[in-house]
Amino acid sequence: GAKRQKSHYCQFYRADMPVVSGDDLQLETNLRYALERHEFDVYYQPQRVLGRQRSSSVPALSAEALIRWTHPQQGFISPGRFIPLAEETGLIVPIGEWILRQTCTQVKTWQQQGLPPIKVSVNLSSVQLNQPHLPQTIAQILQETGLSPQLLELELTETALMQDATAALAMLSELKTQGLRIAVDDFGTGYSSLSYLKQFPIDTLKIDRCFVNGLTTDAKNQVILTAMIEMAHALDLYVVAEGVETEAELALLQDYQCDSVQGYLLGQPMASKDFYTWCQAMTLEQAS
Ligand code: C2E
Ligand code: MG
Ligand code: MG
Ligand code: MG
């Protein structure tokens, strides 16, 4: 099939990118049954706050929720492969709702089990953003689970926001009234500017990992990252760097005053019980 997995190079959005290839047909059939057959799972990848916290409303513990699909015969199928297909077929709407409900339920449960509040980010597809009942769905999930809206962050790519900027602005404004947070994902790979993005009610900027990979030897990415973080802070945005894999990258990001980091250095995306253990260890470490 068409390669959809992002390499570590900055890959910029093109309108003519292939969406569905022939051998995805079998995948589509399997995808239709995956939800009712309970083949999905949510994994959690930890984030670490660096230095002094810029915003007291952001808890010390945070994570990104990432969907995992294990097919009984085909095994693990990466989201890079099936998410575009789920978007194309509209299956992303029920799947996306499932992820939101599952994640909010889990985070609330962790709190009830005695962990400190954990902020969680959930990826939202542009298809979901175009659903008029999205705010109602989210309000209902928050009410059902009793999760504090400040602990929920919705991640949208800049490409998703730019598809229909007027509609996106209206939708985000409505969502913001619920008290949740909005993040721009994969920042730097679309063709929008930060000053343009600032018209949206966003809280967080997630800088794409293509700027972070090999940072220590790439003078251009050092300049770009410094400028991005400085500008984001001037616009009062919270900055998360994605794809941090080495101590050297972490040290540079700390120098640049980046607010938070996510990447294999801190931890891979992990099953909920492993993330619970990770949080317990972190809480003990912070208390000592
Ligand atoms: P994303 O939202 O930008 O998520 C970050 C991706 O980078 C994840 O891949 C994560 O496992 C990977 N990653 C994290 N740290 C590192 C690192 O240090 N190095 C490298 N090389 N990679 C790292 P994953 O889980 O395969 O997800 C890929 C994409 O699929 C996500 O990119 C997101 O766009 C989409 N996706 C995943 N879960 C969901 C979901 O629940 N809903 C929607 N709509 N999309 C999702
Ligand atoms: Mg994301
Ligand atoms: Mg990302
Ligand atoms: Mg991505």
Side-chain angles (χ1 to χ4, degrees):
K3 265 229 177 336
R4 294 206 185 84
Q5 286 268 272
K6 252 194 334 202
S7 72
H8 64 284
Y9 299 104
C10 293
Q11 235 175 47
F12 302 101
Y13 174 78
R14 293 201 342 257
D16 61 342
M17 280 180 177
V19 180
V20 175
S21 70
D23 55 27
D24 283 337
L25 285 171
Q26 181 61 45
L27 195 67
E28 182 179 331
T29 309
N30 289 337
L31 192 58
R32 287 195 184 278
Y33 294 102
L35 206 52
E36 60 189 71
R37 289 177 181 167
H38 307 287
E39 292 169 2
F40 292 122
D41 202 358
V42 180
Y43 270 44
Y44 299 86
Q45 186 177 31
Q47 298 171 336
R48 189 203 290 171
V49 177
L50 301 178
R52 162 187 63 90
Q53 270 176 245
R54 286 179 55 81
S55 159
S56 55
S57 64
V58 181
L61 290 176
S62 58
E64 177 174 6
L66 294 158
I67 192 168
R68 293 293 176 259
W69 179 20
T70 311
H71 185 268
Q73 278 84 47
Q74 303 195 14
F76 175 74
I77 302 165
S78 91
R81 246 191 105 199
F82 73 83
I83 291 287
L85 193 62
E87 290 177 325
E88 180 79 358
T89 54
L91 288 166
I92 193 68
V93 175
I95 294 171
E97 188 174 331
W98 179 84
I99 299 159
L100 276 163
R101 183 170 281 107
Q102 182 68 23
T103 304
C104 292
T105 305
Q106 180 63 81
V107 174
K108 182 67 187 183
T109 303
W110 281 327
Q111 245 179 298
Q112 287 164 340
Q113 290 172 337
L115 287 182
I118 298 163
K119 191 200 80 180
V120 72
S121 302
V122 178
N123 292 284
L124 221 63
S125 153
S126 63
V127 177
Q128 290 172 277
L129 196 67
N130 292 332
Q131 298 282 309
H133 58 74
L134 177 70
Q136 203 188 318
T137 303
I138 292 176
Q140 199 189 326
I141 290 171
L142 287 169
Q143 207 207 348
E144 264 173 37
T145 59
L147 184 75
S148 163
Q150 291 103 291
L151 296 179
L152 179 63
E153 185 165 72
L154 304 174
E155 290 191 10
L156 286 149
T157 63
E158 46 175 338
T159 314
L161 295 179
M162 303 299 287
Q163 267 173 24
D164 183 348
T166 312
L169 179 56
M171 179 57 89
L172 292 193
S173 306
E174 197 181 339
L175 287 170
K176 274 303 285 179
T177 63
Q178 297 186 32
L180 43 72
R181 297 172 59 88
I182 309 280
V184 174
D185 201 2
D186 304 346
F187 178 73
T189 60
Y191 48 76
S192 63
S193 70
L194 205 42
S195 56
Y196 184 83
L197 272 183
K198 196 44 193 151
Q199 68 174 308
F200 298 100
I202 54 180
D203 304 279
T204 302
L205 211 63
K206 293 192 76 176
I207 298 180
D208 194 79
R209 66 180 152 91
C210 71
F211 298 101
V212 176
N213 272 158
L215 176 64
T216 44
T217 54
D218 190 328
K220 279 183 185 158
N221 274 352
Q222 289 174 14
V223 173
I224 292 170
L225 263 172
T226 314
M228 275 181 178
I229 295 170
E230 202 171 306
M231 208 191 308
H233 283 168
L235 294 168
D236 207 25
L237 296 170
Y238 188 86
V239 184
V240 180
E242 304 194 78
V244 179
E245 295 182 357
T246 68
E247 291 286 355
E249 288 164 2
L250 176 67
L252 273 180
L253 288 160
Q254 211 144 13
D255 272 0
Y256 301 162
Q257 315 281 311
C258 186
D259 300 299
S260 179
V261 288
Q262 181 182 339
Y264 294 163
L265 178 68
L266 278 92
Q268 300 259 346
M270 42 190 122
S272 57
K273 67 173 184 355
D274 296 325
F275 184 68
Y276 176 81
T277 309
W278 187 90
C279 287
Q280 273 186 319
M282 281 300 287
T283 309
L284 288 174
E285 195 180 300
Q286 281 164 2
S288 65

